[in-house]
Amino acid sequence: MSALKDFNLRDKGAEIWAGWNRPVRTAFVIIVVVLVGLLPFAPSWGPTSFLNTPITSFENVLVYPVGMFVLMALGLNIVVGKSGLLDLGYIAFFAIGAYSQAILSTLYGWNTWQALPVGMGMAMISGVILGLPALRVRGDYLAIITLGFGEIIRIVALNLSVTGGPNGIAGIPNPPTIFGFEFNLMFPEHFFWLVLALILLTIWMIRRFTVRRPGRAWEAIRQDEDVASLMGVNTLVYKLWSFVIGAAVGGAAGVIYASKVMVISPDMFKFEVSILILACVVFGGMGNIWGVALGASILAYLPERIRFIADERQIIFGLVLIIMMNLRPDGLLPRKKREKIQEKRTM
């Protein structure tokens, strides 16, 4: 019997979930969301005081990298996990959103709420510009094109005067107060709740798409693009949809990130970040929303928690990835269909 059968927590959870009626499910979701929303106060609860990170406060780590990585991993999961397209330049959309916020706020006086839809729109337009030529190729060629796009955005930001060149843009204002919530360095938990709201909205959007025509088209493309095309699926259109929707999520994350850190530079948007976000998707389980969120939380928090061991932390981080991907090659919480295929191969 395969190791996947021995450690099949996802199916056990699905079985329990299926036995609950709608009110119980709703109550459970509300309780989980409330508990996650209380995470910024966890280090003061006593038994969970070990969560505090050595250098940066736990509340700030929850915003970046944890919250941002979860949000970006969910966006990338639409492209990689749902549609089966390898994107190595996802950081480009994050950078476009961040620079949109920085330029609009410092040069034109826009606040974060005004810049947010523009940042998302710019990222979506960039997704169309990238997707129209890139999505006509597959596999390694697509990966190389997206990798190049990510580097193009960073190099353009490095050389343009409007982006501040290598010095970047400083003096980006925090979001203005809304509904009584102040967004500044004194209230990092408010930023976390804002990111949590975006994460929940993204999860809701992905679940709605999954059960409708785009989700079924993405699944068909992921399984076999040629067969999907023969069955009448307009593969280019639906692949472009996944790119654009994923780009919108990355752009939104960039806008919030820029307004949180108040200064951005091209060095913040290197290729390594794209690889780390992709690792979050693979580590958690491609195509599984909850697995991706769990994987991103672990991979974002772990390096910050062991920062006290300096450079050696990267070695430990790499060893954890190697060990876990050998134990769980399909991720911590793989998609059900992936597990079934793997079980058939190992029986």
Side-chain angles (χ1 to χ4, degrees), residues 24-94:
V24 175
R25 292 180 182 180
T26 303
F28 176 77
V29 170
I30 292 174
I31 291 172
V32 170
V33 171
V34 170
L35 290 176
V36 173
L38 293 175
L39 278 178
F41 310 107
S44 62
W45 293 343
T48 56
S49 59
F50 68 93
L51 291 172
N52 227 338
T53 52
I55 298 178
T56 307
S57 68
F58 180 69
E59 297 90 336
N60 283 297
V61 169
L62 279 179
V63 179
Y64 186 88
V66 176
M68 290 296 173
F69 274 34
V70 171
L71 184 57
M72 286 193 288
L74 288 171
L76 183 59
N77 185 53
I78 300 173
V79 181
V80 177
K82 297 295 184 183
S83 303
L85 307 173
L86 184 55
D87 185 354
L88 298 182
Y90 191 71
I91 190 63
F93 304 121
F94 184 63

Side-chain angles (χ1 to χ4, degrees), residues 198-210 289:
L198 289 176
I199 290 172
L200 295 175
L201 182 61
T202 302
I203 291 174
W204 175 83
M205 176 188 68
I206 294 172
R207 289 178 63 85
R208 296 284 75 75
F209 274 117
T210 300
I289 297 174

Side-chain angles (χ1 to χ4, degrees), residues 268-291:
M268 296 178 175
F269 309 106
K270 292 183 177 179
F271 170 66
E272 290 84 353
V273 182
S274 286
I275 296 300
L276 190 53
I277 300 301
L278 180 61
C280 293
V281 176
V282 177
F283 181 76
M286 290 190 296
N288 188 334
I289 297 174
W290 316 114

Side-chain angles (χ1 to χ4, degrees), residues 124-169:
M124 293 171 73
I125 292 172
S126 301
V128 174
I129 295 173
L130 170 64
L132 283 175
L135 293 176
R136 299 180 186 278
V137 298
R138 305 181 190 178
D140 298 339
Y141 300 103
L142 176 61
I144 292 171
I145 291 175
T146 55
L147 186 157
F149 178 72
E151 285 300 290
I152 287 171
I153 295 299
R154 185 181 67 84
I155 293 171
V156 168
L158 193 63
N159 289 278
L160 286 181
S161 58
V162 71
T163 59
N167 296 323
I169 301 176

Side-chain angles (χ1 to χ4, degrees), residues 229-244:
S229 181
L230 289 173
M231 294 298 293
V233 176
N234 192 331
T235 55
L236 178 61
V237 169
Y238 284 107
K239 287 192 296 183
L240 194 60
W241 270 49
S242 68
F243 250 65
V244 171

Side-chain angles (χ1 to χ4, degrees), residues 90-326:
Y90 191 71
I91 190 63
F93 304 121
F94 184 63
I96 289 169
Y99 274 103
S100 296
Q101 157 67 7
I103 293 171
L104 290 173
S105 62
T106 57
L107 296 183
Y108 302 103
W110 289 33
N111 63 45
T112 303
W113 315 126
Q114 294 170 322
L116 182 59
V118 176
M120 294 175 64
M122 292 298 294
M124 293 171 73
I125 292 172
S126 301
V128 174
I129 295 173
L130 170 64
L132 283 175
L135 293 176
R136 299 180 186 278
V137 298
R138 305 181 190 178
D140 298 339
Y141 300 103
L142 176 61
I144 292 171
I145 291 175
T146 55
L147 186 157
F149 178 72
E151 285 300 290
I152 287 171
I153 295 299
R154 185 181 67 84
I155 293 171
V156 168
L158 193 63
N159 289 278
L160 286 181
S161 58
V162 71
T163 59
N167 296 323
I169 301 176
I172 304 170
N174 293 135
T177 301
I178 184 172
F179 302 127
F181 292 100
E182 296 182 34
F183 297 94
N184 53 53
L185 297 177
M186 300 300 296
F187 300 99
E189 65 274 12
H190 293 177
F191 276 102
F192 172 69
W193 292 334
L194 174 60
V195 175
L196 178 60
L198 289 176
I199 290 172
L200 295 175
L201 182 61
T202 302
I203 291 174
W204 175 83
M205 176 188 68
I206 294 172
R207 289 178 63 85
R208 296 284 75 75
F209 274 117
T210 300
V211 297
R212 287 170 171 79
R213 184 186 295 272
R216 295 192 294 269
W218 292 336
E219 177 67 21
I221 293 170
R222 193 188 67 83
Q223 294 290 344
D224 194 313
E225 186 174 342
D226 292 328
V227 173
S229 181
L230 289 173
M231 294 298 293
V233 176
N234 192 331
T235 55
L236 178 61
V237 169
Y238 284 107
K239 287 192 296 183
L240 194 60
W241 270 49
S242 68
F243 250 65
V244 171
I245 296 171
V249 176
V255 170
I256 302 303
Y257 174 71
S259 64
K260 169 67 168 62
V261 298
M262 303 176 68
V263 56
I264 59 172
S265 66
D267 288 340
M268 296 178 175
F269 309 106
K270 292 183 177 179
F271 170 66
E272 290 84 353
V273 182
S274 286
I275 296 300
L276 190 53
I277 300 301
L278 180 61
C280 293
V281 176
V282 177
F283 181 76
M286 290 190 296
N288 188 334
I289 297 174
W290 316 114
V292 168
L294 176 62
S297 300
I298 294 173
L299 295 190
Y301 176 72
L302 181 61
E304 297 295 327
R305 186 63 186 85
I306 60 176
R307 187 177 285 274
F308 63 92
I309 58 177
D311 294 338
E312 289 78 6
R313 69 192 179 99
Q314 297 298 338
I315 299 176
I316 295 177
F317 180 65
L319 287 174
V320 169
L321 284 179
I322 293 172
I323 293 171
M324 287 304 301
M325 294 315 296
N326 274 278

